[in-house]
Short mmCIF file of all heavy atoms in Angstrom, two decimals:
data_model
loop_
_atom_site.label_atom_id
_atom_site.label_comp_id
_atom_site.label_asym_id
_atom_site.label_seq_id
_atom_site.Cartn_x
_atom_site.Cartn_y
_atom_site.Cartn_z
N THR X 240 -7.94 31.52 -19.70
CA THR X 240 -8.51 30.80 -18.63
C THR X 240 -7.95 31.16 -17.22
O THR X 240 -6.85 31.86 -17.21
CB THR X 240 -8.16 29.18 -18.85
OG1 THR X 240 -6.72 29.05 -18.75
CG2 THR X 240 -8.67 28.60 -19.94
N VAL X 241 -8.77 30.94 -16.18
CA VAL X 241 -8.39 31.14 -14.78
C VAL X 241 -8.31 29.78 -14.17
O VAL X 241 -9.27 29.10 -14.10
CB VAL X 241 -9.40 32.10 -14.04
CG1 VAL X 241 -8.94 32.21 -12.61
CG2 VAL X 241 -9.51 33.41 -14.82
N ARG X 242 -7.10 29.50 -13.66
CA ARG X 242 -6.85 28.16 -13.02
C ARG X 242 -6.07 28.40 -11.72
O ARG X 242 -5.45 29.36 -11.55
CB ARG X 242 -6.06 27.25 -14.02
CG ARG X 242 -6.75 26.98 -15.35
CD ARG X 242 -6.12 25.97 -16.11
NE ARG X 242 -6.94 25.65 -17.26
CZ ARG X 242 -7.94 24.98 -17.46
NH1 ARG X 242 -8.40 24.33 -16.36
NH2 ARG X 242 -8.62 24.72 -18.59
N ASP X 243 -6.19 27.39 -10.97
CA ASP X 243 -5.43 27.36 -9.70
C ASP X 243 -3.99 26.70 -10.02
O ASP X 243 -3.73 26.30 -11.06
CB ASP X 243 -6.12 26.80 -8.45
CG ASP X 243 -6.30 25.24 -8.68
OD1 ASP X 243 -5.62 24.64 -9.51
OD2 ASP X 243 -7.17 24.65 -7.92
N GLY X 246 -3.84 23.53 -11.78
CA GLY X 246 -4.37 23.53 -13.12
C GLY X 246 -5.85 23.38 -13.23
O GLY X 246 -6.45 23.21 -14.35
N ARG X 247 -6.60 23.37 -12.06
CA ARG X 247 -8.03 23.27 -12.01
C ARG X 247 -8.62 24.63 -12.25
O ARG X 247 -8.20 25.67 -11.81
CB ARG X 247 -8.49 22.78 -10.72
CG ARG X 247 -8.05 21.34 -10.35
CD ARG X 247 -8.31 20.89 -9.02
NE ARG X 247 -7.59 21.60 -8.01
CZ ARG X 247 -6.33 21.35 -7.63
NH1 ARG X 247 -5.69 20.33 -8.12
NH2 ARG X 247 -5.70 22.10 -6.69
N PRO X 248 -9.75 24.66 -13.09
CA PRO X 248 -10.42 25.89 -13.33
C PRO X 248 -11.04 26.38 -11.98
O PRO X 248 -11.37 25.71 -11.13
CB PRO X 248 -11.70 25.46 -14.17
CG PRO X 248 -11.34 24.15 -14.75
CD PRO X 248 -10.36 23.54 -13.79
N VAL X 249 -10.97 27.84 -11.78
CA VAL X 249 -11.50 28.44 -10.62
C VAL X 249 -12.81 28.76 -10.82
O VAL X 249 -13.20 29.93 -11.41
CB VAL X 249 -10.63 29.68 -10.29
CG1 VAL X 249 -11.19 30.33 -8.97
CG2 VAL X 249 -9.17 29.34 -10.10
N SER X 250 -13.78 27.97 -10.48
CA SER X 250 -15.27 28.02 -10.63
C SER X 250 -15.80 29.26 -9.88
O SER X 250 -15.43 29.46 -8.75
CB SER X 250 -16.01 26.75 -10.16
OG SER X 250 -17.25 26.94 -10.30
N GLY X 251 -16.56 30.08 -10.61
CA GLY X 251 -17.13 31.20 -9.88
C GLY X 251 -16.29 32.44 -10.04
O GLY X 251 -16.67 33.56 -9.55
N ALA X 252 -15.11 32.39 -10.51
CA ALA X 252 -14.26 33.58 -10.57
C ALA X 252 -14.81 34.69 -11.61
O ALA X 252 -15.46 34.28 -12.46
CB ALA X 252 -12.83 33.20 -11.06
N GLN X 253 -14.48 35.81 -11.27
CA GLN X 253 -14.77 36.94 -12.28
C GLN X 253 -13.49 37.59 -12.61
O GLN X 253 -12.56 37.81 -11.78
CB GLN X 253 -15.68 37.99 -11.53
CG GLN X 253 -17.06 37.59 -11.39
CD GLN X 253 -18.06 38.73 -10.97
OE1 GLN X 253 -17.61 39.71 -10.30
NE2 GLN X 253 -19.21 38.72 -11.45
N VAL X 254 -13.50 38.01 -13.88
CA VAL X 254 -12.33 38.70 -14.38
C VAL X 254 -12.76 40.07 -14.74
O VAL X 254 -13.88 40.26 -15.45
CB VAL X 254 -11.75 37.95 -15.64
CG1 VAL X 254 -10.46 38.73 -16.17
CG2 VAL X 254 -11.37 36.47 -15.32
N VAL X 284 -16.47 39.79 -16.59
CA VAL X 284 -17.11 38.64 -16.99
C VAL X 284 -16.97 37.52 -15.97
O VAL X 284 -15.94 37.66 -15.19
CB VAL X 284 -16.65 38.13 -18.37
CG1 VAL X 284 -16.93 39.04 -19.50
CG2 VAL X 284 -15.17 37.74 -18.37
N SER X 285 -17.73 36.50 -15.87
CA SER X 285 -17.63 35.36 -15.07
C SER X 285 -17.01 34.33 -15.90
O SER X 285 -17.39 34.16 -17.09
CB SER X 285 -18.97 34.92 -14.55
OG SER X 285 -19.50 35.81 -13.58
N VAL X 286 -16.09 33.55 -15.39
CA VAL X 286 -15.51 32.41 -16.15
C VAL X 286 -16.51 31.33 -16.32
O VAL X 286 -17.47 31.18 -15.43
CB VAL X 286 -14.26 31.89 -15.56
CG1 VAL X 286 -13.28 32.96 -15.36
CG2 VAL X 286 -14.48 31.22 -14.14
N ASP X 287 -16.41 30.48 -17.26
CA ASP X 287 -17.35 29.42 -17.53
C ASP X 287 -16.78 28.10 -16.76
O ASP X 287 -15.84 28.26 -15.99
CB ASP X 287 -17.60 29.12 -19.00
CG ASP X 287 -16.37 28.49 -19.68
OD1 ASP X 287 -15.31 28.18 -19.04
OD2 ASP X 287 -16.35 28.48 -20.96
N ALA X 288 -17.43 27.02 -16.96
CA ALA X 288 -17.10 25.83 -16.13
C ALA X 288 -15.67 25.36 -16.33
O ALA X 288 -15.07 24.75 -15.50
CB ALA X 288 -17.99 24.72 -16.38
N GLN X 289 -15.10 25.70 -17.50
CA GLN X 289 -13.67 25.30 -17.90
C GLN X 289 -12.73 26.43 -17.45
O GLN X 289 -11.51 26.31 -17.78
CB GLN X 289 -13.59 25.04 -19.37
CG GLN X 289 -14.16 23.65 -19.70
CD GLN X 289 -15.70 23.78 -19.93
OE1 GLN X 289 -16.13 24.81 -20.33
NE2 GLN X 289 -16.35 22.73 -19.41
N GLY X 290 -13.29 27.52 -16.85
CA GLY X 290 -12.39 28.55 -16.36
C GLY X 290 -12.15 29.60 -17.50
O GLY X 290 -11.34 30.54 -17.29
N ARG X 291 -12.81 29.55 -18.63
CA ARG X 291 -12.50 30.38 -19.77
C ARG X 291 -13.20 31.84 -19.55
O ARG X 291 -14.30 31.96 -19.02
CB ARG X 291 -13.01 29.89 -21.06
CG ARG X 291 -12.30 28.57 -21.34
CD ARG X 291 -12.80 27.89 -22.65
NE ARG X 291 -14.16 27.64 -22.47
CZ ARG X 291 -14.81 26.63 -23.09
NH1 ARG X 291 -14.14 25.88 -23.87
NH2 ARG X 291 -16.11 26.36 -22.90
N VAL X 313 -8.71 39.64 -10.83
CA VAL X 313 -9.57 38.39 -10.72
C VAL X 313 -10.06 38.38 -9.21
O VAL X 313 -9.33 38.46 -8.34
CB VAL X 313 -8.76 37.12 -10.91
CG1 VAL X 313 -9.55 35.82 -10.82
CG2 VAL X 313 -8.07 37.21 -12.36
N ARG X 314 -11.45 38.05 -9.19
CA ARG X 314 -12.13 38.02 -7.90
C ARG X 314 -12.75 36.68 -7.82
O ARG X 314 -13.23 36.18 -8.76
CB ARG X 314 -13.14 39.12 -7.79
CG ARG X 314 -12.60 40.49 -7.80
CD ARG X 314 -13.81 41.60 -7.74
NE ARG X 314 -13.36 42.93 -7.89
CZ ARG X 314 -12.80 43.78 -6.98
NH1 ARG X 314 -12.75 43.29 -5.77
NH2 ARG X 314 -12.54 45.01 -7.28
N LEU X 315 -12.94 36.20 -6.54
CA LEU X 315 -13.71 35.03 -6.24
C LEU X 315 -14.60 35.48 -5.07
O LEU X 315 -14.13 35.55 -3.90
CB LEU X 315 -12.87 33.86 -5.94
CG LEU X 315 -13.53 32.48 -5.78
CD1 LEU X 315 -14.34 32.10 -6.95
CD2 LEU X 315 -12.58 31.44 -5.28
N GLY X 316 -15.95 35.69 -5.40
CA GLY X 316 -16.79 36.29 -4.37
C GLY X 316 -16.20 37.56 -3.96
O GLY X 316 -15.96 38.49 -4.76
N ARG X 318 -13.39 38.05 -2.34
CA ARG X 318 -11.95 37.94 -2.38
C ARG X 318 -11.27 38.36 -3.63
O ARG X 318 -11.72 37.99 -4.69
CB ARG X 318 -11.42 36.46 -2.05
CG ARG X 318 -11.76 36.02 -0.67
CD ARG X 318 -11.26 34.65 -0.35
NE ARG X 318 -10.12 34.20 -1.04
CZ ARG X 318 -10.00 33.13 -1.64
NH1 ARG X 318 -10.92 32.11 -1.56
NH2 ARG X 318 -8.76 32.80 -2.29
N LEU X 320 -8.29 37.80 -5.85
CA LEU X 320 -7.22 36.84 -6.06
C LEU X 320 -5.96 37.31 -6.69
O LEU X 320 -4.88 36.92 -6.50
CB LEU X 320 -7.80 35.68 -6.79
CG LEU X 320 -8.94 34.83 -6.22
CD1 LEU X 320 -9.38 33.72 -7.17
CD2 LEU X 320 -8.68 34.43 -4.74
N ILE X 368 -4.32 32.75 -16.82
CA ILE X 368 -4.15 33.33 -15.47
C ILE X 368 -4.08 32.18 -14.44
O ILE X 368 -4.98 31.32 -14.46
CB ILE X 368 -5.33 34.30 -15.20
CG1 ILE X 368 -5.37 35.38 -16.07
CG2 ILE X 368 -5.11 34.81 -13.80
CD1 ILE X 368 -6.63 36.31 -16.02
N VAL X 370 -3.86 31.51 -10.42
CA VAL X 370 -3.98 32.21 -9.06
C VAL X 370 -3.96 31.22 -7.97
O VAL X 370 -4.17 30.03 -8.10
CB VAL X 370 -5.30 32.91 -9.02
CG1 VAL X 370 -5.42 34.17 -10.06
CG2 VAL X 370 -6.56 31.99 -9.31
N ALA X 372 -5.96 30.02 -5.29
CA ALA X 372 -7.30 29.99 -4.92
C ALA X 372 -7.38 29.39 -3.58
O ALA X 372 -8.12 29.31 -2.78
CB ALA X 372 -8.18 29.32 -5.95
#
Side-chain angles (χ1 to χ4, degrees):
T240 55
V241 178
R242 299 190 179 280
D243 66 17
R247 294 172 294 275
V249 181
S250 179
Q253 286 193 327
V254 180
V284 298
S285 294
V286 302
D287 68 12
Q289 287 77 41
R291 295 179 300 212
V313 179
R314 298 178 189 272
L315 184 60
R318 289 181 32 223
L320 301 180
I368 301 170
V370 294

